[in-house]
């Protein structure tokens, strides 16, 4: 990734395409509508409310990120997407039950304008969902071509100058890269043969990359995290990011675990369980879909604590993760954590966390930020994996010879230093020794 000499201006309309118009996507669209009208506050969004320090502390330069970087404005966005149910975004949002009626009614016209395109959906990858608003094709290659036509048609019909896409669809069954995922040629041959190793999310991602549309993966699916997708992203000069939005329990882990490590406090075990009643919870009742989420969640502690380098403190801890579908909760997710830690002279201690959160309320600003930052990255001619956006993901994508960085505070430094570097400002190390010379 080279420092840009020029960033193309954010001119014209930006299409934000959302595979999956469920609770997360519709909550985000409604929120943007309310913020545009001055009836909502974009809490949780770095692109809207976040600030960035520039230069020395004595300079007192702390603009908003939106003032410092040439991001697209909210009134430039046109929303579109696909779903396996035909409901427009208003009906889908009512069904999701996240937002209050007064907020839905205020955003009703904008939500009703977002009507999903028929979805590419093979049910063997998401066994708990059964939709009717589906594309038909003789092969997976044909499905990709239909998606490409959708993308071109939406951009043309809405008068957009460019597009980005954020996967907001369901968690698929756990898969790992196979021979079909090794090269562009092998993948496209696999599409022609409707290879069963090619999932729904991979078909969307492939269509978007072929159309040079930046893509972020908000699920643990193997959507673009394989060699052929990396090769296509480089060849097409398209920015990609992922995977799996970091919202509730994992967000807490990436805040607390760095604190324990920084104070050299030991860990015996970390037990986590969630109850969730929305569509995501229903999908995760399937063991193979849960396995994909479990792998995404389990990698966090091991990477932050680095037990191989800190054996006395973290060499033998137990990490358990559970998710239970509990319909009465709807989108109100509850995460319980029991942390068994130890301190001076190995004396035991415990920490209990009970995080009652709204899953889509936490995810909505992530979707917005990723859309605006990916658009910025594309206009700066960044392509391939955007590791600087790891801040938003449970299982951040990274170069093959690296390990991911999970520490939330390091991720935020990386994000802000990338913005400083992109805009010609000096990265901040926080060394500060010059103040005391």
């Amino acid at each position: 990734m080279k420092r840009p000499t020029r960033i193309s201006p954010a001119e014209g309309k930006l299409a934000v395409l959302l595979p999956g118009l469920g609770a997360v996507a519709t909550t985000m669209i409604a929120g943007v509508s309310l913020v545009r009208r001055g009836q909502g506050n974009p809490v949780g969004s770095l692109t809207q409310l976040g600030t960035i320090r520039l230069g020395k502390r004595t300079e007192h330069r702390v603009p908003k990120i939106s003032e410092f970087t040439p991001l697209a404005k909210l009134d430039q966005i046109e929303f579109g997407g696909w779903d396996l149910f035909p409901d427009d975004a208003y009906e889908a949002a009512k069904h999701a039950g996240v937002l209050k009626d007064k907020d839905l009614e205020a955003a009703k016209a904008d939500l009703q304008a977002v009507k999903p395109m028929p979805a590419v959906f093979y049910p063997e990858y998401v066994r708990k969902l059964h939709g009717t608003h589906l594309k038909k094709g003789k092969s997976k290659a044909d499905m990709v071509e239909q998606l490409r036509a959708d993308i071109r048609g939406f951009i043309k019909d809405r008068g957009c100058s460019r597009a980005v896409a954020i996967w907001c669809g369901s968690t698929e069954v756990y898969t790992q890269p196979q021979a079909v995922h090794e090269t562009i040629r092998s993948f496209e041959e696999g599409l022609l043969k409707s290879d069963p190793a090619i999932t729904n999310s991979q078909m969307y991602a492939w269509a978007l990359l072929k159309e040079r549309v930046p893509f972020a993966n908000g699920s643990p699916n193997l959507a673009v995290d394989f060699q052929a997708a990396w090769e296509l992203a480089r060849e097409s000069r398209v920015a990609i990011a992922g995977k799996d939005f970091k919202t509730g329990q994992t967000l807490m882990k990436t805040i607390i675990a760095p604190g324990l490590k920084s104070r050299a406090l030991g860990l015996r075990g970390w037990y986590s369980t969630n109850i969730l009643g929305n569509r995501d919870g229903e999908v995760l009742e399937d063991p193979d879909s849960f396995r994909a989420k479990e792998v995404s969640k389990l990698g966090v502690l091991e990477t932050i604590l680095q037990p191989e380098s800190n054996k006395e403190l973290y060499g033998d801890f137990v990490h358990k993760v559970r998710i239970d579908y509990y319909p009465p909760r709807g989108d109100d997710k509850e995460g319980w954590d029991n942390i068994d830690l130890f301190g001076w002279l190995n004396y035991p201690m415990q920490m209990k966390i009970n995080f009652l959160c709204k899953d889509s309320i936490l995810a909505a600003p992530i979707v917005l930020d990723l859309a605006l930052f990916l658009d910025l990255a594309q206009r700066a001619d960044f392509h391939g994996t955007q590791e600087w956006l790891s801040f938003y993901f449970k299982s951040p994508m990274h170069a093959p010879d690296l390990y991911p960085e999970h520490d939330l505070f390091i991720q935020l430094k990386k994000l802000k230093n990338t913005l400083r570097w992109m805009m010609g400002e000096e990265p901040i190390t926080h060394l500060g020794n010059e103040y005391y010379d």
Side-chain angles (χ1 to χ4, degrees), residues 67 74-75 87 96 123 142 153 157 179 205 208 213 220 224 226 263-264 271 318 325 369-370 379 390 402 409 413 419:
E67 297 166 351
L74 297 189
D75 60 7
D87 299 340
D142 184 28
D157 292 346
L208 290 156
V213 175
V224 285
F226 56 90
R263 288 295 301 270
Y271 178 84
V318 176
Y325 177 50
D369 282 0
L370 285 170
R379 288 185 283 112
S390 295
L402 298 177
F409 307 100
K413 288 177 186 176
L419 295 178

Side-chain angles (χ1 to χ4, degrees), residues 9 30 43 48-49 97 115 190 209 253 261 293 302-303 335 376 421:
V43 175
Q48 304 306 302
L49 297 181
K115 295 176 170 59
L209 294 182
K253 286 182 180 177
K261 183 184 177 184
K293 182 70 74 171
E302 285 75 4
T303 307
L376 176 64
W421 172 78

Side-chain angles (χ1 to χ4, degrees), residues 245-273:
F245 298 142
K246 181 160 55 183
T247 51
Q249 195 169 64
T250 306
L251 174 64
M252 292 296 102
K253 286 182 180 177
T254 62
I255 293 170
I256 292 165
L260 299 179
K261 183 184 177 184
S262 68
R263 288 295 301 270
L265 294 171
L267 183 66
R268 301 282 187 215
W270 196 311
Y271 178 84
S272 301
T273 189

Side-chain angles (χ1 to χ4, degrees), residues 306-416:
Q306 298 176 312
E308 68 285 351
S309 301
N310 300 281
K311 292 181 181 179
E312 289 180 278
L313 298 173
Y314 312 116
D316 194 30
F317 71 87
V318 176
H319 187 195
K320 297 283 188 181
V321 175
R322 298 286 183 267
I323 299 176
D324 289 315
Y325 177 50
Y326 183 58
R329 281 300 166 90
D331 201 67
D332 291 338
K333 181 165 64 175
E334 184 165 359
W336 299 322
D337 288 88
N338 175 82
I339 306 166
D340 287 288
L341 59 152
F342 60 93
W344 186 249
L345 303 178
N346 288 349
Y347 273 66
M349 297 178 283
Q350 283 192 346
M351 184 184 301
K352 310 284 189 182
I353 303 169
N354 185 14
F355 189 23
L356 293 89
C357 60
K358 293 183 180 294
D359 202 42
S360 298
I361 293 296
L362 289 169
I366 292 178
V367 179
L368 175 61
D369 282 0
L370 285 170
L372 297 181
F373 279 143
L374 270 183
D375 176 54
L376 176 64
Q378 191 71 16
R379 288 185 283 112
D381 196 30
F382 293 170
H383 51 275
T385 299
Q386 304 299 297
E387 192 192 349
W388 62 282
L389 295 175
S390 295
F391 179 76
Y392 295 104
F393 298 108
K394 288 188 185 77
S395 184
M397 288 170 54
H398 52 88
D401 55 345
L402 298 177
Y403 61 81
E405 184 56 72
H406 281 290
D407 183 319
L408 186 76
F409 307 100
I410 294 175
Q411 290 175 336
L412 182 60
K413 288 177 186 176
K414 186 176 182 68
L415 187 154
K416 289 190 175 182

Side-chain angles (χ1 to χ4, degrees), residues 43 81 95 201 244 284 296 314 325 328 343 417:
V43 175
H95 177 75
S201 63
D244 204 1
L284 292 173
S296 177
Y314 312 116
Y325 177 50
N417 271 335

